[in-house]
Amino acid sequence: MAKIFFTSDWHFSHQNIVKFCPTFRPNAHNVAELDEFLIARWNETVSPEDVVYNLGDLSFAHDFKQIERVLSRLNGTHHLIYGNHDGQIRQHIDRLLNQTKHDGLPMLSSAQDYLQLRLPEIKNTLILFHYPILEWDGCHKGWYHLHGHIHDRVATLRGRVLNVGWDLHGRFLTAQDVDDFLRHLPTISYFGDKSADFPVADVAENTRKLRVILKRNNA
């Protein structure tokens, strides 16, 4: 039976990433060695029958041919949420959607900036975006928000939000993993943190108060 996996920020072909996120990465001698390690980690979990939702920053390579070489060897139906390092993929997306890889599937089965995904097996809806969002569609209904971008860190956000990055978990997450992390966390309201005394009708006073709030939030 096909499995669904979530992940992010693999940074293929980025040799220096180990300096910042060393826990689940080898101190490779070169890019080829790093990519071989990551391809092996991907394929030891993901079979050709499985589905992967990858929340961005697939590769750091500037050579599109190198990106193709990696994608051609990754198992499974691969859906990409664009990250900030996926410019080469975005530029050549038509080719990747129409070119098959070793398992007979497209290099990428879809690519988008944002995806709302209903998962009947956990009876919930997921909002997939590369970056962590303060408030997302359906957050007041208990919908989950999955993101990447911040590698091995946990976003300081309230609600049912989860970084699915490789550098945080060292593994792919299943739908059940996501549900286990998030289902007991509280939902958040769009207006739950609204202050009783801000904003105010006096524009000058409103500006002054806003400056104070921004400074306090960044203290």
Side-chain angles (χ1 to χ4, degrees):
M1 181 177 177
K3 298 176 183 177
I4 297 176
F5 294 108
F6 300 92
T7 192
S8 186
D9 297 279
W10 280 64
H11 277 239
F12 283 96
S13 305
H14 188 184
Q15 189 170 352
N16 285 337
I17 190 66
V18 71
K19 296 179 181 178
F20 308 102
C21 305
T23 306
F24 300 112
R25 296 179 184 270
N27 192 9
H29 293 95
N30 51 55
V31 164
E33 184 179 322
L34 170 65
D35 285 352
E36 287 299 322
F37 172 87
L38 293 174
I39 290 168
R41 298 292 78 72
W42 183 292
N43 288 341
E44 71 185 13
T45 296
V46 180
S47 76
E49 291 74 35
D50 294 332
V51 178
V52 176
Y53 290 92
N54 182 352
L55 274 62
D57 283 4
L58 170 72
S59 175
F60 204 68
H62 300 292
D63 179 1
F64 178 66
K65 291 291 186 182
Q66 177 62 17
I67 297 173
E68 278 189 310
R69 283 192 288 271
V70 168
L71 280 172
S72 71
R73 296 177 58 193
L74 300 180
N75 287 343
T77 298
H78 191 171
H79 300 284
L80 180 68
I81 306 298
Y82 288 122
N84 50 298
H85 291 300
D86 294 321
Q88 284 284 336
I89 293 176
R90 192 187 290 270
Q91 184 179 345
H92 297 92
I93 189 57
D94 288 342
R95 176 169 174 166
L96 294 173
L97 293 173
N98 291 286
Q99 188 170 339
T100 56
K101 50 192 174 73
H102 74 285
D103 56 8
L105 296 167
M107 295 269 201
L108 288 173
S109 292
S110 74
Q112 51 269 305
D113 290 295
Y114 173 101
L115 182 64
Q116 178 179 309
L117 178 67
R118 178 69 183 173
L119 284 185
E121 55 265 53
I122 60 172
K123 299 178 181 178
N124 210 336
T125 298
L126 282 60
I127 300 299
L128 310 183
F129 191 54
H130 180 63
Y131 308 97
I133 309 172
L134 179 64
E135 293 185 0
W136 57 95
D137 188 13
C139 61
H140 62 297
K141 303 176 185 177
W143 290 5
Y144 298 162
H145 167 38
L146 305 186
H147 69 89
H149 187 63
I150 58 175
H151 289 271
D152 55 1
R153 292 172 289 149
V154 178
T156 54
L157 297 173
R158 294 172 57 247
R160 298 178 176 183
V161 53
L162 180 65
N163 175 12
V164 298
W166 168 262
D167 291 308
L168 180 61
H169 301 277
R171 64 185 178 101
F172 288 87
L173 298 185
T174 65
Q176 190 59 56
D177 289 328
V178 169
D179 195 47
D180 288 344
F181 275 119
L182 299 180
R183 70 174 179 271
H184 298 300
L185 298 180
T187 60
I188 59 174
S189 168
Y190 288 134
F191 296 100
D193 295 327
K194 185 174 172 62
S195 171
D197 61 353
F198 181 81
V200 296
D202 184 310
V203 173
E205 177 64 8
N206 198 66
T207 298
R208 186 194 69 78
K209 286 194 171 190
L210 178 56
R211 293 185 190 281
V212 170
I213 292 170
L214 291 173
K215 185 175 181 179
R216 182 179 66 223
N217 288 351
N218 286 277

